[in-house]
Amino acid sequence: MPIPYYKAAALATRCMQTLVISTVLASIAANSAIAKNSDTPLHFPKSAISSVITGKLNPNDNERWYRFDATSGQYAVINMTPLARTSETANVGVLHMPNGTQDGGKGGIIYQGCLPAAGTYRLRIARNLMATKGKIAGYKVEVIILPTYASQPLCK
């Protein structure tokens, strides 16, 4: 028995919608993987609990991404300050966590607390687009991550 026209049309529409949604999701996943691969790895010197990064965003750059690995329950502090001798300050910092949450803000201490999940953390440094004049924006960020044994009393 043949399928009535209206049912065939509805089935074709559902197939097209599924195909479009699948293509969009695959594209998002690919772009996310590319973005994570272009993140600058954050290096901690041997036996060090902190790492300092300094950088400049050129007039046509709005953000830079860094990444580091940590475990659940490690205590972290991320502090952002202006970089000397730059005409603007990149003062927005946001920490993207492996569990999908994020935290951050403008300048000063942008994160302080116990890290919620094990995995790769991504740190976004950006200029405040509402207060920029499109010049070189500098930043200095110190990332402190205590070892698990030192974090335990702070993360109980």
Side-chain angles (χ1 to χ4, degrees):
M1 174 171 22
I3 298 174
Y5 175 76
Y6 67 92
K7 286 187 179 180
L11 181 60
T13 300
R14 275 196 221 125
C15 288
M16 286 302 293
Q17 288 172 338
T18 302
L19 180 62
V20 168
I21 290 171
S22 297
T23 303
V24 168
L25 290 176
S27 174
I28 290 170
N31 286 337
S32 179
I34 290 168
K36 289 180 184 176
N37 288 335
S38 66
D39 296 353
T40 302
L42 192 60
H43 296 288
F44 289 82
K46 187 174 176 90
S47 302
I49 63 168
S50 71
S51 181
V52 175
I53 49 177
T54 59
K56 296 177 183 176
L57 296 175
N58 291 321
N60 57 343
D61 295 331
N62 291 327
E63 64 186 15
R64 184 146 309 125
W65 289 84
Y66 296 89
R67 73 175 184 272
F68 62 89
D69 291 323
T71 61
S72 176
Q74 283 188 281
Y75 190 82
V77 177
I78 302 173
N79 187 38
M80 176 183 255
T81 57
L83 182 64
R85 296 182 298 282
T86 53
S87 51
E88 291 187 7
T89 300
N91 68 342
V92 177
V94 180
L95 183 62
H96 294 254
M97 302 176 205
N99 65 3
T101 62
Q102 62 185 30
D103 195 359
K106 293 182 184 167
I109 295 176
I110 58 171
Y111 182 84
Q112 181 175 5
C114 300
L115 298 174
T120 301
Y121 285 77
R122 299 181 71 216
L123 178 61
R124 177 181 173 260
I125 305 298
R127 64 175 73 230
N128 180 351
L129 295 177
M130 298 292 286
T132 188
K133 292 184 175 33
K135 298 180 181 179
I136 292 177
Y139 57 90
K140 180 179 178 181
V141 179
E142 182 178 24
V143 178
I144 302 166
I145 303 175
L146 297 181
T148 305
Y149 70 86
S151 298
Q152 288 174 350
L154 299 167
C155 294
K156 284 186 177 181

